[in-house]
Amino acid sequence: MPSPHSGYVTDTAPGRGALRAARSWLRSDAPSLSLNGPWRFRLSPTAYAAEDFAAEGFDDHGWDDIPVPSHWVLQGDGAYGRPIYTNVQFPFPIDPPHVPDENPTGDYRRHVEIPAAWTDAERILLRFDGVESLFRLWVNGEEIGGAGGSRLAHEFDVTSAVRPGDNVVAVRVHQWSAASYVEDQDQWWLPGIFRDVTLVARPAGGIEDVWLRTAFADGHGRVEPEITADPAAFPVTLRLPELGVEHVWATPADVSPLDLGAVEPWSAERPRLYDATVASAAESIALRIGFRTVEIRGDRFLVNGRRVVFHGMNRHETHPERGRVFDEEHAREDLARMKRFNVNAIRTSHYPPHPRLLDLADELGFWVVLECDLETHGFDHTGWTGNPSDDPAWREAYLDRIQRTVERDKNHPSVVMWSLGNEAGTGGNLAAMSAWVHARDTGRPVHYEGDHTGEYTDVYSRMYSSVLETEEIGTDGSRAPLMGCTPAQGARQRTRPFLLCEYAHAMGNGPGALDQYEALTHRFPRLHGGFVWEWRDHGIATTTPGGTPYFAYGGDFGEVVHDGNFVMDGMVLSDDVPTPSLYEFKAVVQPIRFAFDDNRDRDRGRDEGHDHGHDHVEITNLRHSADTSDLHFSWRVEHDGAPAASGHLEIPAIPAGGSARVALPPIPVSPDGETWLTLDATLAADTAWAGAGHVLATAQRDRSAPRPVPPVRPRTDWRPSDGTLALGIAEFTGGTLTRLAGRPVTGPRLELFRAPTDNDEGTSGEIEESDASVAGISNATLWRRHGLDRLTTRRVAVERTPDALRVLDKVSAAHSALSVTVESVWSLEDGELELRVETTPSAGWPTVWPRIGIRFDLPDDDAPVDGADWFGLGPLESYPDSMRAARTGRFSSPLRDLSVAYARPQETGHRSQLRRLTLTSAGSGILRVTALPDTRHRRPGFTLSRHTPQQITGAAHPHELPESSTTHLIIDAAQHGLGSRACGPDVWPEFALRPEARTIRLRVAAV
């Protein structure tokens, strides 16, 4: 085989030597040996190190030990290099198929003892399930072959090179190769042998491959078998014990479909699996099969005849310590977490996962779009010039990648669609991949988002299309243009099922508008949901030089080029903590919908303290195939957040897609507080992914009796004042608050700034829907340009009456003529201290504001503020376009848990629709704040933090936040929405905060 000097690393061929054709990943009773464990390892800075290391007698005592599987850049605390993160960029010159001479190359060696009994094997194979990016293999000094395709399985026939007893296996792995140009996925570059290595003894008369295609129709199952074996392996027996099947095929010609009679179907909701074995005299293979039929009828994507709506996640394989090394226990818990949050689908972005992951998906129940190991996104920088997708020199590599993808995982019922890859432009090689899949597997459609005009794929797919454009895609007869399509092409695409392979970019605090996208799937049957980008952050656990742990992102390892924290874009943080966005997702896509019916005379019953009429609720089962017999329905009533009554609802089993109208019990209504009715649908029994009582869906209804808001008492006897006075529990100096209830407090200070979220800093996405965006300029840039982060105050007037203080301020920024007038009135009302703040912007503000709020600073005293109790929305943070997970109630939290530790510090912790807030210290109340609604019945929200928005903005990582001796309370009249502009649409106009006059009205008391 040629040396690296002759261009091995730049060869576009997918493999060489004794590399065997792809086949299924099967559980066989044939003998095997795991080669996982410690290997000897040496790292060279280039690909041109001597190859004598592969010789049997080579002395590797001076080498290190490294675990296999692992990534060498995650071993040795930087001794073998560091990870590199890029999204679109290539971390080497764009010069396909060439890569730099500075090409880190890892040499691996280990001894393996082969049993004497293996001499009876017909062949001995060495299997690699994942090596990044190109590797070569020697056994006992004999070069066997090599392969590229990092996330693909490769088997080599090593029969001629091995012997009973001691054998030496040597592997050379190059970090960069021609394959790197087609593996530019948005993730860390992590070289090494990172999946299992296995030595397999193939018996004479064994079964080379099995494919049990299944179908389901009219309650009956069907198996269409494909057995790959020599004629000498026959007879071959199929056994399905639960179905009483034991069928023998005497010869290859006898292998034919079997109709099995009544079976239970497989679906993501009821993942019914049947144990099967396929056996010859020499080998038995165990499979778990599920009966289901995937088809497209018109513009509907159906499984077992019913439309599928994907409530999905894009899932990378990532772990903060192991990188892409698979850990089954962690993966199982990760998938169970998905199920608990109503995720029903996975897109394996952007490569096949470890094969055991799909076994778990079969077992727990997910619709899987299985994606090939392919992405060439970096060629976007060149206008797609040189893109391998349309270069015939790369055709063999493209076909090999899709073949290895399909063949490995073809037996999984969870896999309902094949995806050619991601963000690789378009071209003839992709069309050839699709043609091969269509010929090989007629039972699953083909997906690829980059085929915008639908030339070679079966579904219409887009990423980050706006709500308006998505609506136009779903609307019959719409003539609105579609991206990259002529009118005729657009009309054709509207005849196909549509899915969002990526939407709702979950980077940092966000995304917003999940509910808007979900609503479209109910209005337009052509729309089949989609996959959030993405499931989890990719942070790598590391420490500062001083030993402080944190999760690193792009640039933290000194990369020459990188894409920053764009790799931190998941609904789960790097340490497995679900973000508020995941709770929002769960609430938005919950499979049970409650619609309350108000046809009754409430007022008469309320006057008597009870609702004697009966409300009704319509309960709709939005599931694909499961009825509601596995659920328990309950109700509870709370008065101002305190439990008042509860009970169980008797609900008949509602079939999938069906509804039932159910009478609610009489509701006791509080005469002097708020009354809230909550309905829950919970699991009635334990499942593999959650225990009994787990809440699957919930809904609330406000049943409060109307109560007037105390009017503002007019005052006309204002007199000028120096502003130094006491008013109830408040003390002022020069019109500025200095103490409350004897403890130091300053404020209120107008706060228009928030620490920009990743979406606030984004410049991408559709802007035609928003009246707030400026193309190519982030909202955060505009906020800084207009000085919202550096406001200054000029006191205009201070006046008082015997029981009130009025302060008038003009707030603006340096080098700006724009301003906000702030009138603060403190008064004693019925013995209570009230604060009313009126904010009025000047004309001319050209963009949205992040917030309209007032800030109080509470320095640490003998009893520093360390927590909060509140009545309002909770328990987690909420924002105008991300409110579905929030419920009205009483909540309590320590200060540290009020904020989310996003990988890059940013706006966090806002709780909406506040009624009452008690600040606590060491478990005891200090101050109580009651929020009164404004004249339009809008309630403020609050944020409690140890850092100001300006301090948070200055930190790139949580550990960089400064030490603080002050707690900061911000009461917001309004907050700007979150949107998804880090990689998607901006905030919808309804939730965009335009500069406007607002009122905040509070009652403050000592506790």
Side-chain angles (χ1 to χ4, degrees), residues 815-828:
H815 197 60
S816 175
L818 303 171
S819 64
V820 180
T821 299
V822 181
E823 181 185 48
S824 303
V825 177
W826 294 88
S827 62
L828 293 176

Side-chain angles (χ1 to χ4, degrees), residues 729-794:
I729 62 170
E731 300 175 33
F732 303 88
T733 300
T736 298
L737 178 69
T738 56
R739 300 183 74 81
L740 271 174
R743 62 173 297 125
V745 179
T746 59
R749 175 191 186 277
L750 179 68
E751 189 63 84
L752 301 180
F753 188 64
R754 72 183 185 194
T757 67
D758 291 306
N759 290 313
D760 294 337
E761 294 282 12
T763 60
S764 66
E766 304 290 340
I767 65 171
E768 74 274 5
E769 295 180 5
S770 177
D771 61 357
S773 300
V774 176
I777 303 176
S778 73
N779 288 325
T781 296
L782 297 175
W783 298 340
R784 289 186 286 261
R785 181 179 297 175
H786 294 294
L788 298 188
D789 57 336
R790 50 182 176 82
L791 297 174
T792 61
T793 299
R794 178 173 65 84

Side-chain angles (χ1 to χ4, degrees), residues 368-700:
V368 174
V369 175
L370 187 64
E371 198 145 86
C372 184
D373 187 9
L374 178 67
E375 181 167 340
T376 68
H377 206 170
F379 286 95
D380 181 63
H381 180 71
T382 68
W384 298 102
T385 299
N387 182 22
S389 296
D390 204 33
D391 184 344
W394 294 81
R395 179 186 175 93
E396 183 183 355
Y398 273 57
L399 287 172
D400 181 78
R401 285 172 181 266
I402 193 63
Q403 289 164 10
R404 292 187 181 278
T405 298
V406 171
E407 297 294 355
R408 193 195 76 170
D409 298 323
K410 56 185 178 283
N411 281 293
H412 291 283
S414 59
V415 177
V416 296
M417 198 181 307
W418 302 112
S419 180
L420 304 180
N422 184 69
E423 293 175 323
T426 190
N429 294 335
L430 286 157
M433 293 169 73
S434 180
W436 183 90
V437 176
H438 282 120
R440 181 70 176 117
D441 184 6
T442 59
R444 297 177 176 102
V446 174
H447 165 274
Y448 176 64
E449 182 270 340
D451 180 26
H452 294 148
T453 59
E455 300 298 325
Y456 47 85
T457 49
D458 302 309
V459 297
Y460 183 31
S461 177
R462 289 281 305 281
M463 54 176 68
Y464 308 109
S465 60
S466 67
V467 173
L468 280 181
E469 185 182 7
T470 305
E471 182 176 5
E472 292 291 351
I473 292 169
T475 301
D476 287 336
S478 173
R479 303 289 291 174
L482 300 183
M483 187 178 75
C485 291
T486 66
Q489 291 167 336
R492 179 175 64 185
Q493 290 293 62
R494 285 189 174 91
T495 67
R496 296 176 172 178
F498 176 79
L499 62 87
L500 285 158
C501 67
E502 295 179 22
Y503 81 112
H505 193 259
M507 186 174 179
N509 189 348
L514 287 169
D515 53 348
Q516 293 175 275
Y517 284 102
E518 176 66 12
L520 294 179
T521 68
H522 298 289
R523 289 176 54 199
F524 303 105
R526 180 180 306 137
L527 308 183
H528 288 73
F531 299 83
V532 169
W533 187 266
E534 63 173 309
W535 172 239
R536 64 162 55 243
D537 283 359
H538 296 222
I540 291 179
T542 188
T543 59
T544 67
T548 301
Y550 71 102
F551 293 107
Y553 51 72
D556 287 336
F557 296 111
E559 300 101 306
V560 175
V561 297
H562 63 85
D563 286 304
N565 70 316
F566 209 70
V567 76
M568 306 297 233
D569 48 12
M571 287 198 157
V572 176
L573 300 179
S574 300
D575 57 359
D576 296 341
V577 174
T579 65
S581 68
L582 186 55
Y583 288 88
E584 180 75 2
F585 178 89
K586 175 186 177 181
V588 166
V589 307
Q590 62 185 30
I592 304 298
R593 183 168 56 194
F594 301 94
F596 292 93
D597 180 5
D598 281 332
N599 294 330
R600 77 217 180 288
D601 180 4
R602 292 193 213 169
D603 294 336
R604 181 171 54 84
R606 282 179 174 165
D607 291 342
E608 299 170 2
H610 284 80
D611 233 329
H612 295 295
H614 283 273
D615 280 351
H616 287 78
V617 62
E618 184 175 54
I619 302 175
T620 301
N621 179 7
L622 299 174
R623 291 160 143 183
H624 171 268
S625 47
D627 65 23
T628 61
S629 58
D630 61 332
L631 302 182
H632 173 91
F633 292 86
S634 60
W635 62 273
R636 67 181 182 275
V637 174
E638 294 169 324
H639 293 162
D640 277 1
S646 62
H648 171 70
L649 286 177
E650 292 295 337
I651 308 293
I654 305 171
S659 298
R661 190 166 180 265
V662 179
L664 294 171
I667 304 301
V669 176
S670 172
D672 54 2
E674 294 188 37
T675 298
W676 284 87
L677 168 67
T678 303
L679 301 183
D680 289 324
T682 59
L683 291 177
D686 292 346
T687 69
W689 45 271
H694 168 75
V695 177
L696 204 69
T698 190
Q700 275 195 319

Side-chain angles (χ1 to χ4, degrees), residues 726-950:
L727 203 62
I729 62 170
E731 300 175 33
F732 303 88
T733 300
T736 298
L737 178 69
T738 56
R739 300 183 74 81
L740 271 174
R743 62 173 297 125
V745 179
T746 59
R749 175 191 186 277
L750 179 68
E751 189 63 84
L752 301 180
F753 188 64
R754 72 183 185 194
T757 67
D758 291 306
N759 290 313
D760 294 337
E761 294 282 12
T763 60
S764 66
E766 304 290 340
I767 65 171
E768 74 274 5
E769 295 180 5
S770 177
D771 61 357
S773 300
V774 176
I777 303 176
S778 73
N779 288 325
T781 296
L782 297 175
W783 298 340
R784 289 186 286 261
R785 181 179 297 175
H786 294 294
L788 298 188
D789 57 336
R790 50 182 176 82
L791 297 174
T792 61
T793 299
R794 178 173 65 84
R795 184 134 297 168
V796 176
V798 179
E799 299 175 320
R800 64 165 299 178
T801 70
D803 60 355
L805 172 70
R806 176 177 176 267
V807 178
L808 190 66
D809 293 327
K810 185 175 183 180
V811 180
S812 56
H815 197 60
S816 175
L818 303 171
S819 64
V820 180
T821 299
V822 181
E823 181 185 48
S824 303
V825 177
W826 294 88
S827 62
L828 293 176
E829 307 291 345
D830 303 320
E832 291 186 292
L833 180 67
E834 180 172 306
L835 168 64
R836 179 171 51 86
V837 178
E838 304 276 0
T839 60
T840 307
S842 66
W845 287 94
T847 187
V848 294
W849 281 348
R851 72 184 340 142
I852 302 174
I854 53 175
R855 193 180 89 201
F856 297 90
D857 300 329
L858 297 90
D860 291 349
D861 201 7
D862 294 336
V865 175
D866 61 8
D869 298 330
W870 74 98
F871 177 37
L873 288 191
L876 302 177
E877 63 187 29
S878 55
Y879 292 83
D881 54 356
S882 184
M883 300 271 285
R884 294 284 290 275
R887 61 181 176 86
T888 303
R890 284 186 184 175
F891 306 99
S892 179
S893 174
L895 181 61
R896 66 180 178 275
D897 293 341
L898 288 171
S899 300
V900 177
Y902 295 113
R904 183 187 69 81
Q906 56 196 274
E907 164 66 28
T908 177
H910 179 77
R911 269 73 178 174
S912 307
Q913 297 182 19
L914 178 65
R915 278 80 164 167
R916 286 188 297 279
L917 168 68
T918 299
L919 304 181
T920 62
S921 179
S924 299
I926 297 173
L927 292 170
R928 183 175 64 247
V929 178
T930 302
L932 303 179
D934 67 11
T935 55
R936 292 170 56 184
H937 307 291
R938 296 174 296 188
R939 296 183 182 274
F942 81 95
T943 304
L944 191 66
S945 172
R946 292 293 283 180
H947 297 95
T948 67
Q950 292 77 10

Side-chain angles (χ1 to χ4, degrees), residues 4 7-10 42-49 72 80 91-92 97-107 132-134 172-180 191:
Y8 185 87
V9 295
T10 61
R42 174 187 70 183
L43 184 67
S44 302
T46 75
Y48 306 133
W72 70 63
Y80 311 118
F92 45 78
H98 305 289
V99 294
D101 292 341
E102 294 84 0
N103 187 357
T105 295
D107 291 332
E132 183 176 329
S133 70
L134 174 77
R172 170 160 286 180
V173 180
H174 303 290
Q175 175 160 11
W176 309 123
S177 69
S180 302

Side-chain angles (χ1 to χ4, degrees), residues 88-312:
V88 178
Q89 304 181 79
F90 285 120
F92 45 78
I94 305 175
D95 182 24
H98 305 289
V99 294
D101 292 341
E102 294 84 0
N103 187 357
T105 295
D107 291 332
Y108 295 77
R109 283 173 53 90
R110 72 158 290 165
H111 290 258
V112 56
E113 190 79 12
I114 294 184
W118 281 30
T119 56
D120 296 333
E122 183 178 68
R123 290 187 310 280
I124 296 179
L125 309 180
L126 188 52
R127 181 184 182 96
F128 295 83
D129 283 312
V131 183
E132 183 176 329
S133 70
L134 174 77
F135 71 103
R136 301 166 66 192
L137 168 66
W138 292 260
V139 176
N140 294 327
E142 178 183 334
E143 185 160 7
I144 304 299
S150 298
R151 270 68 69 176
L152 304 170
H154 298 90
E155 286 184 327
F156 296 86
D157 190 333
V158 298
T159 309
S160 63
V162 297
R163 58 184 177 242
D166 183 62
N167 294 260
V168 176
V169 178
V171 182
R172 170 160 286 180
V173 180
H174 303 290
Q175 175 160 11
W176 309 123
S177 69
S180 302
Y181 283 101
V182 294
E183 294 177 1
D184 188 31
Q185 290 99 336
D186 177 8
Q187 60 180 344
W188 295 97
W189 299 87
L190 299 173
I193 305 174
F194 68 94
R195 286 187 184 158
D196 306 301
V197 182
T198 310
L199 200 61
V200 180
R202 299 293 306 133
I207 299 171
E208 181 69 11
D209 202 0
V210 173
W211 187 4
L212 297 183
R213 310 182 199 207
T214 65
F216 178 83
D218 301 322
H220 291 74
R222 179 179 172 88
V223 171
E224 298 180 6
E226 180 183 289
I227 309 298
T228 305
D230 290 338
F234 286 81
V236 171
T237 303
L238 169 67
R239 293 183 177 90
L240 288 163
E242 285 189 85
L243 299 176
V245 172
E246 184 167 332
H247 189 85
V248 179
W249 297 297
T251 70
D254 295 332
V255 177
S256 59
L258 298 176
D259 291 315
L260 301 179
V263 300
E264 296 177 53
W266 184 97
S267 73
E269 293 162 357
R270 290 186 170 166
R272 180 65 162 95
L273 295 172
Y274 290 86
D275 290 325
T277 59
V278 177
S280 68
E283 182 179 17
S284 180
I285 291 172
L287 304 94
R288 303 188 78 192
I289 65 173
F291 293 95
R292 54 103 184 98
T293 296
V294 180
E295 61 182 325
I296 291 175
R297 293 185 202 160
D299 60 359
R300 305 290 195 276
F301 179 90
L302 309 175
V303 175
N304 296 336
R306 293 187 59 84
R307 172 176 173 257
V308 171
V309 177
F310 296 100
H311 295 131

